[in-house]
Amino acid sequence: MNWNALLPEIVLFLGILLVFLLELFVSSRYYRFLVVLAGFVPLLALISITFVVVPASTFSGIFYVDAISLVGKAILYILTSFALFSSYDYFEKKKASYGELSYLVLVSSLGLSLLMSSSNLALLFLALELSSITIYILIGTLKKDYLSKEASYKYLVMGSTGTAMLAFGSAFYYASTGSFFLKPYSGENTLFLLGMVFILSALALKVSSVPFHFWTPDAYEGAPTPITAYISTAPKVALYFLLVKLSSYFSQVKEWVWLVAILSVLSMFYASFVAYTQKSVKRLLAYSSIAHAGYFLLGITVSDKLLASSLLFYLSLYAFATLGSFVILSVWEKREGFTHHFLDYKGLGRQDIFLASLLSFFLFGMIGIPPMALFVGKLALFTALVKLDLMPLAIAFVVASIIATGYYLKVIVYMFMEEGERKWKEVNLSAGEALVVLACAFIVLLLGIFPNILYDLIKGAL
Protein backbone atom coordinates (compact mmCIF):
# COMPACT_ATOMS: atom_id res chain seq x y z
CA MET A 1 0.00 0.00 0.00
CA ASN A 2 1.48 3.34 -1.12
CA TRP A 3 0.12 5.78 1.44
CA ASN A 4 2.13 8.64 -0.05
CA ALA A 5 -0.12 8.65 -3.14
CA LEU A 6 -3.15 9.18 -0.89
CA LEU A 7 -1.61 11.87 1.32
CA PRO A 8 -3.91 14.80 0.30
CA GLU A 9 -7.00 12.59 0.57
CA ILE A 10 -5.88 11.35 4.00
CA VAL A 11 -5.48 14.94 5.20
CA LEU A 12 -8.97 15.76 3.89
CA PHE A 13 -10.45 12.66 5.52
CA LEU A 14 -8.89 13.41 8.90
CA GLY A 15 -10.07 17.01 8.65
CA ILE A 16 -13.60 15.83 7.92
CA LEU A 17 -13.53 13.54 10.96
CA LEU A 18 -12.25 16.35 13.20
CA VAL A 19 -14.89 18.85 12.07
CA PHE A 20 -17.61 16.19 12.26
CA LEU A 21 -16.72 15.24 15.84
CA LEU A 22 -16.47 18.86 16.94
CA GLU A 23 -19.86 19.60 15.40
CA LEU A 24 -21.41 16.82 17.48
CA PHE A 25 -20.27 18.32 20.76
CA VAL A 26 -20.22 22.10 20.34
CA SER A 27 -23.27 24.34 20.29
CA SER A 28 -24.57 26.27 17.28
CA ARG A 29 -22.89 29.49 18.40
CA TYR A 30 -19.58 27.97 17.33
CA TYR A 31 -20.81 27.62 13.74
CA ARG A 32 -18.44 30.30 12.41
CA PHE A 33 -15.47 28.64 14.10
CA LEU A 34 -16.36 25.27 12.54
CA VAL A 35 -16.65 26.73 9.03
CA VAL A 36 -13.37 28.62 9.30
CA LEU A 37 -11.67 25.50 10.69
CA ALA A 38 -13.09 23.49 7.79
CA GLY A 39 -11.77 26.14 5.39
CA PHE A 40 -8.22 25.50 6.57
CA VAL A 41 -8.46 21.73 5.96
CA PRO A 42 -8.18 22.01 2.12
CA LEU A 43 -5.23 24.37 2.60
CA LEU A 44 -3.47 21.68 4.65
CA ALA A 45 -4.27 19.18 1.89
CA LEU A 46 -2.79 21.67 -0.58
CA ILE A 47 0.44 21.80 1.41
CA SER A 48 0.53 17.99 1.59
CA ILE A 49 0.56 17.82 -2.22
CA THR A 50 4.17 19.01 -2.16
CA PHE A 51 5.15 15.79 -0.35
CA VAL A 52 3.55 13.44 -2.90
CA VAL A 53 6.05 11.65 -5.14
CA VAL A 54 4.68 11.17 -8.67
CA PRO A 55 3.90 9.10 -10.58
CA ALA A 56 2.43 6.82 -7.95
CA SER A 57 -0.40 4.34 -7.66
CA THR A 58 -2.09 2.33 -4.95
CA PHE A 59 -5.02 -0.08 -4.46
CA SER A 60 -3.63 -2.34 -7.21
CA GLY A 61 -3.46 0.53 -9.68
CA ILE A 62 -7.05 1.68 -9.20
CA PHE A 63 -5.83 4.99 -7.77
CA TYR A 64 -3.16 6.65 -9.90
CA VAL A 65 -1.49 9.99 -9.21
CA ASP A 66 0.47 11.96 -11.79
CA ALA A 67 1.63 15.56 -12.00
CA ILE A 68 -1.45 16.90 -13.80
CA SER A 69 -3.85 15.37 -11.27
CA LEU A 70 -1.92 17.12 -8.49
CA VAL A 71 -2.32 20.45 -10.31
CA GLY A 72 -6.06 19.80 -10.54
CA LYS A 73 -6.25 18.90 -6.87
CA ALA A 74 -4.38 22.06 -5.91
CA ILE A 75 -6.93 24.21 -7.76
CA LEU A 76 -9.80 22.17 -6.28
CA TYR A 77 -8.53 22.66 -2.71
CA ILE A 78 -8.10 26.42 -3.15
CA LEU A 79 -11.66 26.73 -4.53
CA THR A 80 -13.05 24.62 -1.67
CA SER A 81 -11.27 26.72 0.93
CA PHE A 82 -12.49 29.95 -0.69
CA ALA A 83 -16.07 28.65 -0.84
CA LEU A 84 -16.03 27.82 2.88
CA PHE A 85 -14.41 31.09 4.00
CA SER A 86 -17.00 33.09 2.08
CA SER A 87 -20.06 31.22 3.33
CA TYR A 88 -20.38 31.57 7.12
CA ASP A 89 -21.79 35.11 7.26
CA TYR A 90 -24.41 34.37 4.59
CA PHE A 91 -25.82 31.37 6.47
CA GLU A 92 -25.82 33.26 9.77
CA LYS A 93 -27.82 36.10 8.18
CA LYS A 94 -30.25 33.55 6.70
CA LYS A 95 -30.61 31.86 10.10
CA ALA A 96 -29.48 28.59 8.52
CA SER A 97 -26.20 28.06 10.35
CA TYR A 98 -26.27 24.27 10.33
CA GLY A 99 -23.04 22.66 11.49
CA GLU A 100 -23.24 19.97 8.81
CA LEU A 101 -22.44 22.55 6.15
CA SER A 102 -18.88 22.81 7.43
CA TYR A 103 -17.95 19.21 6.63
CA LEU A 104 -20.34 18.34 3.77
CA VAL A 105 -18.42 20.63 1.43
CA LEU A 106 -15.23 18.81 2.45
CA VAL A 107 -16.86 15.42 1.79
CA SER A 108 -17.82 16.55 -1.70
CA SER A 109 -14.28 17.75 -2.37
CA LEU A 110 -12.88 14.44 -1.10
CA GLY A 111 -14.99 12.66 -3.71
CA LEU A 112 -13.77 15.04 -6.42
CA SER A 113 -10.17 14.57 -5.33
CA LEU A 114 -10.53 10.79 -5.62
CA LEU A 115 -12.22 11.27 -8.98
CA MET A 116 -9.21 12.99 -10.53
CA SER A 117 -6.96 10.05 -9.67
CA SER A 118 -9.39 7.32 -10.71
CA SER A 119 -7.94 4.95 -13.30
CA ASN A 120 -10.74 2.44 -12.85
CA LEU A 121 -14.46 2.92 -13.58
CA ALA A 122 -15.47 1.38 -10.25
CA LEU A 123 -13.56 4.01 -8.24
CA LEU A 124 -14.69 6.72 -10.67
CA PHE A 125 -18.32 5.76 -10.01
CA LEU A 126 -17.92 5.73 -6.22
CA ALA A 127 -16.00 9.02 -6.15
CA LEU A 128 -18.52 10.80 -8.36
CA GLU A 129 -21.44 9.57 -6.25
CA LEU A 130 -19.73 10.59 -3.00
CA SER A 131 -19.47 14.12 -4.32
CA SER A 132 -22.90 14.18 -6.00
CA ILE A 133 -24.92 12.97 -3.02
CA THR A 134 -23.42 15.60 -0.73
CA ILE A 135 -24.11 18.29 -3.35
CA TYR A 136 -27.79 17.24 -3.46
CA ILE A 137 -27.92 17.81 0.30
CA LEU A 138 -26.04 21.12 0.14
CA ILE A 139 -28.41 22.56 -2.46
CA GLY A 140 -31.37 21.93 -0.15
CA THR A 141 -29.88 23.40 3.02
CA LEU A 142 -32.22 26.41 3.13
CA LYS A 143 -34.91 24.27 4.75
CA LYS A 144 -37.52 27.05 4.90
CA ASP A 145 -37.04 28.02 1.26
CA TYR A 146 -39.21 26.20 -1.29
CA LEU A 147 -36.88 26.88 -4.23
CA SER A 148 -33.96 25.35 -2.37
CA LYS A 149 -35.83 22.12 -1.70
CA GLU A 150 -37.22 22.00 -5.23
CA ALA A 151 -33.76 22.54 -6.75
CA SER A 152 -32.30 19.78 -4.60
CA TYR A 153 -35.02 17.34 -5.65
CA LYS A 154 -34.68 18.20 -9.35
CA TYR A 155 -30.94 17.71 -9.30
CA LEU A 156 -31.39 14.45 -7.37
CA VAL A 157 -33.70 13.10 -10.08
CA MET A 158 -31.48 14.28 -12.94
CA GLY A 159 -28.33 13.18 -11.14
CA SER A 160 -29.80 9.72 -10.60
CA THR A 161 -30.27 9.49 -14.37
CA GLY A 162 -26.59 10.33 -14.76
CA THR A 163 -25.72 7.65 -12.22
CA ALA A 164 -27.69 5.08 -14.21
CA MET A 165 -25.98 6.12 -17.47
CA LEU A 166 -22.55 5.84 -15.87
CA ALA A 167 -23.40 2.38 -14.52
CA PHE A 168 -24.67 1.24 -17.93
CA GLY A 169 -21.63 2.71 -19.65
CA SER A 170 -19.28 0.95 -17.23
CA ALA A 171 -21.06 -2.36 -17.84
CA PHE A 172 -20.75 -2.01 -21.63
CA TYR A 173 -17.12 -0.95 -21.27
CA TYR A 174 -16.37 -4.06 -19.20
CA ALA A 175 -18.22 -6.28 -21.68
CA SER A 176 -16.11 -4.96 -24.56
CA THR A 177 -12.68 -4.74 -22.91
CA GLY A 178 -12.90 -7.30 -20.09
CA SER A 179 -11.69 -4.74 -17.54
CA PHE A 180 -12.86 -1.70 -15.59
CA PHE A 181 -9.43 -0.09 -15.98
CA LEU A 182 -9.32 2.88 -18.33
CA LYS A 183 -7.01 2.25 -21.26
CA PRO A 184 -6.65 3.28 -24.92
CA TYR A 185 -9.01 1.53 -27.31
CA SER A 186 -9.47 1.93 -31.07
CA GLY A 187 -11.47 -1.13 -32.11
CA GLU A 188 -14.83 -1.25 -33.92
CA ASN A 189 -16.79 -2.76 -31.06
CA THR A 190 -20.46 -1.77 -30.75
CA LEU A 191 -20.52 -2.48 -27.02
CA PHE A 192 -17.52 -0.21 -26.51
CA LEU A 193 -19.22 2.57 -28.47
CA LEU A 194 -22.35 2.20 -26.33
CA GLY A 195 -20.23 2.32 -23.18
CA MET A 196 -18.42 5.43 -24.42
CA VAL A 197 -21.70 7.18 -25.25
CA PHE A 198 -23.21 6.42 -21.83
CA ILE A 199 -20.07 7.44 -19.91
CA LEU A 200 -19.73 10.68 -21.88
CA SER A 201 -23.44 11.43 -21.41
CA ALA A 202 -23.20 10.92 -17.64
CA LEU A 203 -20.23 13.27 -17.35
CA ALA A 204 -21.84 15.77 -19.76
CA LEU A 205 -24.79 15.92 -17.36
CA LYS A 206 -22.47 16.75 -14.47
CA VAL A 207 -20.74 19.55 -16.41
CA SER A 208 -24.11 21.01 -17.55
CA SER A 209 -23.78 20.32 -21.25
CA VAL A 210 -26.82 20.52 -23.55
CA PRO A 211 -29.03 18.42 -23.76
CA PHE A 212 -28.29 17.28 -20.19
CA HIS A 213 -28.37 20.79 -18.71
CA PHE A 214 -31.94 21.09 -17.45
CA TRP A 215 -31.05 20.81 -13.76
CA THR A 216 -28.54 23.66 -13.90
CA PRO A 217 -30.65 26.87 -13.90
CA ASP A 218 -32.96 25.58 -11.15
CA ALA A 219 -30.12 24.22 -9.01
CA TYR A 220 -28.08 27.42 -9.33
CA GLU A 221 -31.07 29.61 -8.53
CA GLY A 222 -32.51 27.53 -5.69
CA ALA A 223 -29.28 26.66 -3.88
CA PRO A 224 -27.88 28.99 -1.21
CA THR A 225 -25.64 31.31 -3.22
CA PRO A 226 -22.36 30.29 -1.49
CA ILE A 227 -23.23 26.69 -2.39
CA THR A 228 -23.91 27.80 -5.96
CA ALA A 229 -20.41 29.33 -5.92
CA TYR A 230 -19.03 25.94 -4.94
CA ILE A 231 -21.03 23.69 -7.30
CA SER A 232 -20.37 25.97 -10.28
CA THR A 233 -16.61 25.73 -9.86
CA ALA A 234 -15.07 22.85 -7.87
CA PRO A 235 -16.94 19.93 -9.53
CA LYS A 236 -16.36 21.43 -12.98
CA VAL A 237 -12.60 21.63 -12.39
CA ALA A 238 -12.39 17.99 -11.27
CA LEU A 239 -14.59 16.71 -14.10
CA TYR A 240 -12.69 18.46 -16.87
CA PHE A 241 -9.36 17.23 -15.53
CA LEU A 242 -10.92 13.76 -15.68
CA LEU A 243 -12.29 14.34 -19.20
CA VAL A 244 -8.83 15.34 -20.44
CA LYS A 245 -7.64 11.93 -19.23
CA LEU A 246 -10.59 10.16 -20.88
CA SER A 247 -9.97 11.93 -24.19
CA SER A 248 -6.50 10.36 -24.32
CA TYR A 249 -8.20 6.94 -24.12
CA PHE A 250 -11.27 7.50 -26.30
CA SER A 251 -10.33 10.10 -28.91
CA GLN A 252 -8.83 7.42 -31.20
CA VAL A 253 -12.45 6.41 -31.83
CA LYS A 254 -13.83 8.75 -34.52
CA GLU A 255 -17.29 8.76 -32.93
CA TRP A 256 -15.80 10.44 -29.84
CA VAL A 257 -14.80 13.51 -31.88
CA TRP A 258 -18.26 13.85 -33.39
CA LEU A 259 -20.10 13.34 -30.10
CA VAL A 260 -17.99 15.89 -28.22
CA ALA A 261 -18.21 18.40 -31.07
CA ILE A 262 -22.02 18.13 -31.21
CA LEU A 263 -22.36 18.54 -27.42
CA SER A 264 -20.01 21.51 -27.55
CA VAL A 265 -21.77 23.39 -30.36
CA LEU A 266 -25.24 22.74 -28.90
CA SER A 267 -24.14 24.02 -25.48
CA MET A 268 -22.42 27.14 -26.79
CA PHE A 269 -25.25 28.40 -28.95
CA TYR A 270 -28.31 27.21 -27.06
CA ALA A 271 -27.14 28.68 -23.74
CA SER A 272 -25.98 31.94 -25.33
CA PHE A 273 -29.40 32.62 -26.84
CA VAL A 274 -31.50 31.45 -23.88
CA ALA A 275 -29.42 33.56 -21.45
CA TYR A 276 -30.85 36.71 -23.07
CA THR A 277 -34.38 35.75 -21.96
CA GLN A 278 -33.48 35.39 -18.27
CA LYS A 279 -34.85 37.83 -15.71
CA SER A 280 -32.59 36.63 -12.89
CA VAL A 281 -28.85 37.30 -12.78
CA LYS A 282 -28.34 34.03 -10.96
CA ARG A 283 -30.06 32.07 -13.75
CA LEU A 284 -28.14 34.09 -16.34
CA LEU A 285 -24.87 32.94 -14.77
CA ALA A 286 -26.24 29.38 -14.85
CA TYR A 287 -26.64 29.66 -18.62
CA SER A 288 -23.17 31.20 -18.77
CA SER A 289 -21.94 27.99 -17.12
CA ILE A 290 -23.75 25.91 -19.77
CA ALA A 291 -22.20 28.00 -22.56
CA HIS A 292 -18.78 27.58 -21.00
CA ALA A 293 -19.35 23.83 -20.88
CA GLY A 294 -19.50 24.08 -24.67
CA TYR A 295 -16.26 26.07 -24.79
CA PHE A 296 -14.47 23.64 -22.51
CA LEU A 297 -15.66 20.53 -24.36
CA LEU A 298 -13.81 21.85 -27.41
CA GLY A 299 -10.64 21.09 -25.49
CA ILE A 300 -11.31 17.34 -25.37
CA THR A 301 -12.40 16.74 -28.98
CA VAL A 302 -8.97 15.27 -29.66
CA SER A 303 -6.11 14.31 -27.39
CA ASP A 304 -3.42 16.95 -27.78
CA LYS A 305 -1.07 18.47 -25.22
CA LEU A 306 -1.46 22.04 -26.48
CA LEU A 307 -5.26 21.79 -26.62
CA ALA A 308 -5.50 20.20 -23.16
CA SER A 309 -3.15 22.82 -21.65
CA SER A 310 -5.25 25.64 -23.12
CA LEU A 311 -8.47 24.07 -21.84
CA LEU A 312 -7.23 23.52 -18.28
CA PHE A 313 -5.71 27.00 -18.11
CA TYR A 314 -8.94 28.64 -19.28
CA LEU A 315 -11.01 26.39 -17.00
CA SER A 316 -8.99 27.33 -13.91
CA LEU A 317 -9.35 31.06 -14.56
CA TYR A 318 -13.06 30.73 -15.27
CA ALA A 319 -13.50 28.93 -11.93
CA PHE A 320 -11.99 31.82 -9.95
CA ALA A 321 -13.96 34.46 -11.88
CA THR A 322 -17.20 32.52 -11.35
CA LEU A 323 -16.52 31.95 -7.66
CA GLY A 324 -15.84 35.66 -7.16
CA SER A 325 -19.05 36.57 -9.01
CA PHE A 326 -21.26 34.32 -6.92
CA VAL A 327 -19.67 35.48 -3.67
CA ILE A 328 -20.61 39.06 -4.60
CA LEU A 329 -24.15 37.89 -5.35
CA SER A 330 -24.30 36.17 -1.96
CA VAL A 331 -23.23 39.40 -0.23
CA TRP A 332 -26.08 41.32 -1.88
CA GLU A 333 -28.54 38.52 -1.12
CA LYS A 334 -28.02 39.15 2.60
CA ARG A 335 -30.19 42.26 2.12
CA GLU A 336 -33.80 41.65 3.00
CA GLY A 337 -35.94 41.37 -0.12
CA PHE A 338 -33.07 41.07 -2.60
CA THR A 339 -34.03 38.45 -5.22
CA HIS A 340 -31.40 38.68 -8.03
CA HIS A 341 -34.09 39.90 -10.43
CA PHE A 342 -32.61 42.37 -12.90
CA LEU A 343 -34.75 45.12 -11.39
CA ASP A 344 -32.90 44.66 -8.09
CA TYR A 345 -29.62 45.39 -9.89
CA LYS A 346 -30.71 48.79 -11.15
CA GLY A 347 -28.42 51.49 -9.78
CA LEU A 348 -26.27 49.10 -7.72
CA GLY A 349 -23.21 50.60 -9.38
CA ARG A 350 -23.95 53.87 -7.59
CA GLN A 351 -25.12 52.40 -4.29
CA ASP A 352 -22.36 49.80 -3.93
CA ILE A 353 -19.63 50.84 -6.34
CA PHE A 354 -16.90 48.58 -4.92
CA LEU A 355 -18.76 45.26 -5.31
CA ALA A 356 -20.48 46.32 -8.53
CA SER A 357 -17.10 47.21 -10.03
CA LEU A 358 -15.63 43.87 -8.98
CA LEU A 359 -18.60 41.99 -10.46
CA SER A 360 -18.14 43.96 -13.69
CA PHE A 361 -14.46 43.02 -13.64
CA PHE A 362 -15.34 39.32 -13.46
CA LEU A 363 -18.01 39.65 -16.17
CA PHE A 364 -15.60 41.49 -18.48
CA GLY A 365 -13.21 38.63 -17.84
CA MET A 366 -15.82 36.08 -18.94
CA ILE A 367 -16.37 38.09 -22.11
CA GLY A 368 -12.64 37.82 -22.76
CA ILE A 369 -11.49 41.41 -22.46
CA PRO A 370 -7.79 41.92 -21.58
CA PRO A 371 -5.98 42.25 -19.23
CA MET A 372 -8.20 39.72 -17.48
CA ALA A 373 -6.66 36.26 -17.74
CA LEU A 374 -9.73 34.68 -19.36
CA PHE A 375 -8.80 36.53 -22.56
CA VAL A 376 -5.53 34.60 -22.61
CA GLY A 377 -7.43 31.38 -21.97
CA LYS A 378 -9.83 31.98 -24.86
CA LEU A 379 -6.98 32.98 -27.16
CA ALA A 380 -4.95 29.88 -26.25
CA LEU A 381 -7.94 27.58 -26.83
CA PHE A 382 -8.72 29.21 -30.19
CA THR A 383 -5.08 29.00 -31.30
CA ALA A 384 -4.88 25.32 -30.35
CA LEU A 385 -8.04 24.52 -32.35
CA VAL A 386 -6.66 26.31 -35.41
CA LYS A 387 -3.31 24.48 -35.19
CA LEU A 388 -5.15 21.13 -35.06
CA ASP A 389 -7.13 22.02 -38.24
CA LEU A 390 -10.39 22.20 -36.29
CA MET A 391 -11.29 25.49 -37.94
CA PRO A 392 -15.11 25.00 -37.96
CA LEU A 393 -15.05 24.51 -34.18
CA ALA A 394 -12.69 27.49 -33.74
CA ILE A 395 -15.07 29.71 -35.73
CA ALA A 396 -18.08 28.43 -33.75
CA PHE A 397 -16.18 29.26 -30.54
CA VAL A 398 -15.56 32.85 -31.67
CA VAL A 399 -19.14 33.40 -32.88
CA ALA A 400 -20.66 31.98 -29.67
CA SER A 401 -18.33 34.13 -27.55
CA ILE A 402 -19.43 37.26 -29.46
CA ILE A 403 -23.11 36.35 -28.99
CA ALA A 404 -22.52 35.85 -25.25
CA THR A 405 -21.05 39.34 -24.85
CA GLY A 406 -24.47 40.95 -24.79
CA TYR A 407 -25.91 39.18 -21.77
CA TYR A 408 -22.86 39.92 -19.64
CA LEU A 409 -23.04 43.58 -20.65
CA LYS A 410 -26.74 43.60 -19.78
CA VAL A 411 -25.89 43.07 -16.10
CA ILE A 412 -23.30 45.87 -16.17
CA VAL A 413 -25.72 48.25 -17.92
CA TYR A 414 -28.38 47.62 -15.28
CA MET A 415 -25.90 48.29 -12.47
CA PHE A 416 -24.29 51.44 -13.82
CA MET A 417 -26.61 52.99 -16.43
CA GLU A 418 -30.07 52.43 -14.94
CA GLU A 419 -31.66 54.40 -12.13
CA GLY A 420 -32.38 52.33 -9.05
CA GLU A 421 -36.02 52.03 -8.00
CA ARG A 422 -35.12 50.98 -4.44
CA LYS A 423 -32.63 52.30 -1.96
CA TRP A 424 -30.93 49.27 -0.48
CA LYS A 425 -29.50 49.21 3.01
CA GLU A 426 -25.74 49.10 3.25
CA VAL A 427 -24.43 45.56 3.59
CA ASN A 428 -21.16 44.64 5.24
CA LEU A 429 -18.68 42.14 3.86
CA SER A 430 -17.40 39.56 6.28
CA ALA A 431 -13.64 39.11 6.46
CA GLY A 432 -14.00 35.82 4.57
CA GLU A 433 -16.07 37.34 1.76
CA ALA A 434 -13.68 40.27 1.34
CA LEU A 435 -10.67 37.92 1.30
CA VAL A 436 -12.18 35.63 -1.34
CA VAL A 437 -13.45 38.35 -3.67
CA LEU A 438 -10.14 40.21 -3.62
CA ALA A 439 -8.12 37.00 -3.99
CA CYS A 440 -10.17 35.90 -7.01
CA ALA A 441 -9.79 39.32 -8.63
CA PHE A 442 -6.05 39.29 -7.95
CA ILE A 443 -5.64 35.81 -9.48
CA VAL A 444 -7.63 36.72 -12.60
CA LEU A 445 -5.63 39.92 -13.09
CA LEU A 446 -2.21 38.49 -12.19
CA LEU A 447 -2.54 35.55 -14.56
CA GLY A 448 -3.75 37.88 -17.28
CA ILE A 449 -0.47 39.79 -17.04
CA PHE A 450 1.74 36.76 -16.30
CA PRO A 451 -0.16 33.76 -17.77
CA ASN A 452 2.94 31.57 -17.90
CA ILE A 453 2.85 31.15 -14.11
CA LEU A 454 -0.04 28.71 -14.45
CA TYR A 455 0.07 27.78 -18.13
CA ASP A 456 3.62 26.47 -18.03
CA LEU A 457 2.81 24.53 -14.84
CA ILE A 458 -0.13 22.81 -16.52
CA LYS A 459 1.71 22.17 -19.79
CA GLY A 460 4.73 20.75 -17.97
CA ALA A 461 2.53 18.44 -15.90
CA LEU A 462 0.69 16.95 -18.89
Side-chain angles (χ1 to χ4, degrees):
M1 176 70 73
N2 184 0
W3 294 107
N4 180 260
L6 284 163
L7 189 57
E9 286 75 20
I10 292 170
V11 171
L12 269 181
F13 178 71
L14 293 176
I16 291 166
L17 280 182
L18 174 64
V19 177
F20 174 75
L21 291 172
L22 286 174
E23 194 272 332
L24 286 177
F25 296 106
V26 301
S27 62
S28 59
R29 70 174 182 271
Y30 291 103
Y31 168 77
R32 181 174 298 202
F33 165 75
L34 285 174
V35 174
V36 172
L37 177 63
F40 280 106
V41 172
L43 296 182
L44 291 175
L46 176 65
I47 294 170
S48 72
I49 284 175
T50 60
F51 298 98
V52 178
V53 179
V54 293
S57 64
T58 189
F59 296 127
S60 302
I62 290 175
F63 186 89
Y64 178 78
V65 182
D66 55 8
I68 192 60
S69 66
L70 290 184
V71 173
K73 289 178 186 182
I75 296 167
L76 169 68
Y77 298 154
I78 294 170
L79 291 168
T80 303
S81 183
F82 280 5
L84 284 165
F85 285 145
S86 63
S87 68
Y88 60 81
D89 195 55
Y90 173 93
F91 285 106
E92 287 179 339
K93 292 291 191 297
K94 292 286 184 179
K95 295 180 171 56
S97 50
Y98 307 115
E100 308 94 282
L101 289 166
S102 55
Y103 58 81
L104 282 175
V105 173
L106 295 179
V107 172
S108 174
S109 291
L110 176 60
L112 296 173
S113 186
L114 291 168
L115 180 76
M116 281 190 277
S117 292
S118 301
S119 59
N120 183 289
L121 285 170
L123 179 59
L124 190 156
F125 181 89
L126 291 173
L128 188 59
E129 286 311 294
L130 176 62
S131 176
S132 297
I133 291 169
T134 49
I135 287 174
Y136 304 150
I137 299 168
L138 288 167
I139 290 173
T141 45
L142 291 181
K143 298 177 183 178
K144 298 179 182 179
D145 185 87
Y146 175 79
L147 282 178
S148 179
K149 292 183 285 187
E150 181 187 39
S152 178
Y153 179 71
K154 283 183 177 179
Y155 189 22
L156 171 63
V157 173
M158 290 292 291
S160 299
T161 305
T163 300
M165 288 192 293
L166 184 57
F168 270 115
S170 300
F172 286 129
Y173 182 91
Y174 180 81
S176 59
T177 65
S179 171
F180 281 122
F181 280 93
L182 295 165
K183 54 188 177 182
Y185 186 86
S186 57
E188 296 291 333
N189 189 312
T190 305
L191 285 177
F192 180 84
L193 291 178
L194 281 171
M196 185 184 75
V197 169
F198 276 117
I199 292 169
L200 179 59
S201 298
L203 297 177
L205 186 150
K206 296 297 182 181
V207 299
S208 308
S209 171
V210 174
F212 309 104
H213 67 286
F214 293 103
W215 64 271
T216 310
D218 291 326
Y220 278 35
E221 184 179 38
T225 306
I227 300 303
T228 306
Y230 175 76
I231 65 174
S232 63
T233 54
K236 303 294 173 65
V237 167
L239 286 161
Y240 281 109
F241 270 84
L242 172 68
L243 282 166
V244 165
K245 182 196 298 185
L246 291 181
S247 71
S248 66
Y249 301 137
F250 292 161
S251 60
Q252 293 92 339
V253 182
K254 60 181 182 297
E255 287 83 359
W256 170 270
V257 179
W258 284 104
L259 282 170
V260 173
I262 290 168
L263 289 174
S264 175
V265 172
L266 285 175
S267 301
M268 284 190 289
F269 286 99
Y270 174 83
S272 293
F273 285 116
V274 175
Y276 281 98
T277 68
Q278 301 307 305
K279 297 179 180 178
S280 163
V281 173
K282 214 172 172 186
R283 288 182 74 89
L284 183 147
L285 289 177
Y287 280 99
S288 166
S289 177
I290 296 167
H292 273 85
Y295 305 156
F296 298 145
L297 285 171
L298 292 171
I300 62 164
T301 47
V302 296
S303 180
D304 178 78
K305 186 174 181 179
L306 178 62
L307 187 60
S309 302
S310 303
L311 159 65
L312 298 178
F313 177 75
Y314 181 20
L315 165 71
S316 304
L317 301 170
Y318 166 79
F320 285 107
T322 301
L323 184 72
S325 300
F326 276 114
V327 170
I328 291 171
L329 265 58
S330 72
V331 173
W332 284 338
E333 194 181 325
K334 291 188 292 186
R335 290 170 166 149
E336 188 176 350
F338 194 88
T339 63
H340 296 298
H341 192 283
F342 268 99
L343 296 178
D344 290 344
Y345 282 75
K346 281 188 172 183
L348 274 180
R350 297 185 184 91
Q351 294 185 36
D352 199 344
I353 189 168
F354 174 67
L355 288 179
S357 298
L358 278 174
L359 179 59
S360 301
F361 173 83
F362 292 129
L363 295 177
F364 279 130
M366 291 181 199
I367 292 171
I369 296 176
M372 278 71 83
L374 281 84
F375 164 76
V376 183
K378 288 194 173 192
L379 181 62
L381 188 56
F382 173 79
T383 304
L385 289 168
V386 172
K387 286 185 177 180
L388 291 167
D389 295 324
L390 297 171
M391 186 58 75
L393 293 179
I395 293 171
F397 177 39
V398 172
V399 173
S401 296
I402 293 171
I403 294 170
T405 301
Y407 61 78
Y408 293 122
L409 291 177
K410 181 181 176 182
V411 181
I412 298 169
V413 167
Y414 266 80
M415 289 193 297
F416 287 96
M417 301 180 70
E418 298 278 353
E419 284 292 334
E421 297 175 2
R422 294 182 63 175
K423 186 69 177 176
W424 297 102
K425 291 182 180 179
E426 186 176 349
V427 62
N428 295 321
L429 277 79
S430 68
E433 289 164 342
L435 170 68
V436 170
V437 169
L438 291 173
C440 288
F442 176 75
I443 290 168
V444 170
L445 182 60
L446 176 70
L447 294 177
I449 301 171
F450 305 106
N452 287 344
I453 296 174
L454 179 61
Y455 184 81
D456 288 348
L457 179 66
I458 291 172
K459 191 174 181 180
L462 280 167

